[in-house]
Amino acid sequence: THSYSNVDASIDNGSGIEAYEVQYITPREKFWVCVSDSLDVKEVMVTALKPVVEHTFRVRALNGEGWSAWSALSQPMKLQRRH
């Protein structure tokens, strides 16, 4: 289990957070993969990740002002193969 938190939810421009969008990319993919763009929770379990492949994540928030900029990228995370 890995944890990544790099969105400052306290900066909301006076409008509450309505949703979060989480995406990841691997070295093999050309485009970001959307995990969800309608999360209303601060934690998410990402399934179907490829073992022994690095995954880099980013997140952004939606409020009454629109979507925020993307967060800084996470450190690459690699799942271990189950034995």
Side-chain angles (χ1 to χ4, degrees):
T1 302
H2 290 284
S3 176
Y4 170 67
S5 175
N6 203 16
V7 173
D8 187 350
S10 67
I11 303 172
D12 61 11
N13 295 325
S15 179
I17 305 281
E18 298 170 17
Y20 295 94
E21 180 175 9
V22 178
Q23 295 183 342
Y24 72 86
I25 196 165
T26 69
R28 298 178 185 166
E29 293 164 313
K30 294 181 181 180
F31 302 101
W32 287 90
V33 176
C34 182
V35 173
S36 178
D37 61 1
S38 59
L39 292 171
D40 61 356
V41 295
K42 293 183 181 179
E43 292 182 10
V44 62
M45 180 179 292
V46 181
T47 59
L49 297 176
K50 300 166 187 77
V52 195
V53 174
E54 289 185 343
H55 297 78
T56 302
F57 292 86
R58 66 182 183 177
V59 63
R60 64 181 179 167
L62 175 69
N63 69 9
E65 300 293 315
W67 286 104
S68 70
W70 287 105
S71 66
L73 301 180
S74 71
Q75 292 295 315
M77 300 175 199
K78 189 183 293 188
L79 298 175
Q80 301 302 316
R81 186 166 286 170
R82 287 187 173 180
H83 298 287

